[in-house]
Amino acid sequence: MIVTVTIRDVARASGVHVSTVSRTFSAPHLVNAATRTRVLSVAEELGYRPNRAARALTTGRTHNLGLIVADLANPFFPPLIKAAHAAARQRDYHLFVADTDEEPAAEEELALAFSKQVDGLVLCSPRSSGRTLERLAERVPVVVVNRRLRGVPTVLMDVGHGAGLAVEHLAGLGHTRVALVSGPAGSWTSDEIRTAAGQVPGVEVVVVGPNAPTERGGHAAAARVRDSGATGVLAYNDLVAIGLIEGLGELGLSVPQDVSVVGIDDIVPGRLSRPKLTTVAMPTAAAGRLAVDLLIQGVSATTSLETRLVIRDSTAAPR
């Protein structure tokens, strides 16, 4: 038989009033530290779990958070989601995840639906317009990952710095013409990569794009990369780089003998591909944890996380 432990049971065993137990879970900062510790210990021992629905009615908070990503199929996102989920659980929050399939309209629809059911939203690589995101932030607390937005807390993975390192690496190998295989139109990440790549002296950058941020998008760009005359390539992400390498192979070009290719993200498939992919490692797990921290704490800040170049087998000196 299942016995339900109530808030009154916890209060009786702790030697405090029911209202003290309630405050311990809904507003712990209002409870004496020793009392709070005793109540939590008794609650754990008895197996008591507060009723979230009832708590939401009294506090106005659901202890639910929403996380919206551009594409769940992209291996870039799972480490971020897992870290965000762990950070939320540590603070007694539930995390709900949704996928927009790279569609701005779906993103706006999901965000508006979530805003009625959660205490805050994390938007990862959002595709919606700046005005749309600003209006959303007026309805519900929002933290944005990898998109600079005025007045909205932001976690940036410094892809510009990493892109600069990647093009400098190609230049150091002797490449003077580099193709930038960009991502979707209007992508903040693409703009950051393009700006940084264009600042490396002695290198002519040719933009090939826009492209879908997928293996298929990279594969479709192969002929344009070949025709660009570039001997080095910086791809929007690792999936694009992997698809591009396959497409170049079908055109009779070898990597890195004929063309050097660098990706961005450092996803697992890039480490297992042949050749192993030179890439810019992105701190996705750290970004997920930090985004949840900022959201729960209500901190309005822009934080930039460092990226680094990982040199493997897909880059070499030009012929």
Side-chain angles (χ1 to χ4, degrees):
M1 186 177 73
I2 298 176
V3 179
T4 302
V5 179
T6 69
I7 192 171
R8 295 184 182 279
D9 297 326
V10 177
R12 190 180 303 112
S14 304
V16 299
H17 195 273
V18 169
S19 61
T20 302
V21 178
S22 177
R23 279 195 300 273
T24 297
F25 287 97
S26 63
H29 60 286
L30 298 178
V31 182
N32 174 274
T35 302
R36 184 171 66 243
T37 300
R38 183 168 76 254
V39 170
L40 292 174
S41 177
V42 169
E44 183 68 27
E45 184 178 332
L46 296 178
Y48 171 73
R49 294 292 180 270
N51 185 312
R52 287 179 178 270
R55 191 198 307 182
L57 288 174
T58 58
T59 66
R61 298 183 67 83
T62 65
H63 271 238
N64 296 329
L65 302 176
L67 173 63
I68 299 178
V69 300
D71 182 7
L72 276 172
N74 187 336
F76 170 81
F77 289 109
L80 186 151
I81 294 169
K82 190 174 182 65
H85 181 258
R89 284 197 63 185
Q90 286 176 354
R91 293 157 182 80
D92 195 30
Y93 279 78
H94 288 163
L95 186 71
F96 299 103
V97 180
D99 172 7
T100 70
D101 200 25
E102 301 282 351
E103 290 290 340
E107 180 177 87
E108 183 177 2
E109 180 182 336
L110 284 167
L112 289 174
F114 263 161
S115 70
K116 304 169 186 175
Q117 306 171 55
V118 299
D119 296 333
L121 278 174
V122 176
L123 304 178
C124 297
S125 303
R127 303 288 187 238
S128 299
S129 70
R131 183 62 193 127
T132 296
L133 296 175
E134 288 169 3
R135 285 200 303 266
L136 176 65
E138 294 170 358
R139 298 172 61 107
V140 64
V142 169
V143 172
V144 175
V145 177
N146 267 12
R147 172 85 174 266
R148 198 181 297 275
L149 200 62
R150 184 180 57 194
V152 177
T154 304
V155 178
L156 301 175
M157 289 174 265
D158 194 354
V159 67
H161 172 71
L165 293 177
V167 177
E168 287 173 1
H169 167 64
L170 291 170
L173 291 171
H175 297 275
T176 58
R177 187 174 175 86
V178 172
L180 174 57
V181 182
S182 61
S187 163
W188 175 86
T189 298
S190 269
D191 292 342
E192 290 289 299
I193 294 170
R194 181 183 305 185
T195 299
Q199 294 176 351
V200 177
V203 175
E204 181 185 2
V205 175
V206 182
V207 178
V208 176
N211 303 282
T214 61
E215 289 177 74
R216 183 176 296 179
H219 186 276
R224 285 172 287 154
V225 169
R226 177 199 58 189
D227 296 342
S228 73
T231 58
V233 177
L234 174 58
Y236 173 78
N237 64 20
D238 285 354
L239 288 180
V240 170
I242 291 168
L244 174 66
I245 290 172
E246 181 182 1
L248 290 172
E250 292 173 3
L251 295 173
L253 297 174
S254 299
V255 174
Q257 291 83 358
D258 298 311
V259 182
S260 288
V261 177
V262 182
I264 293 175
D265 286 346
D266 194 23
I267 60 175
V268 171
R271 304 171 206 167
L272 302 177
S273 64
R274 293 294 180 270
K276 293 182 179 180
L277 189 63
T278 295
T279 188
V280 175
M282 302 282 274
T284 49
R289 286 191 298 270
L290 183 56
V292 168
D293 286 344
L294 292 178
L295 194 57
I296 293 175
Q297 294 170 14
V299 176
S300 182
T302 296
T303 305
S304 184
L305 301 175
E306 186 176 341
T307 55
R308 59 188 177 86
L309 181 67
V310 181
I311 300 173
R312 297 196 180 101
D313 302 332
S314 64
T315 52
R319 288 188 186 275

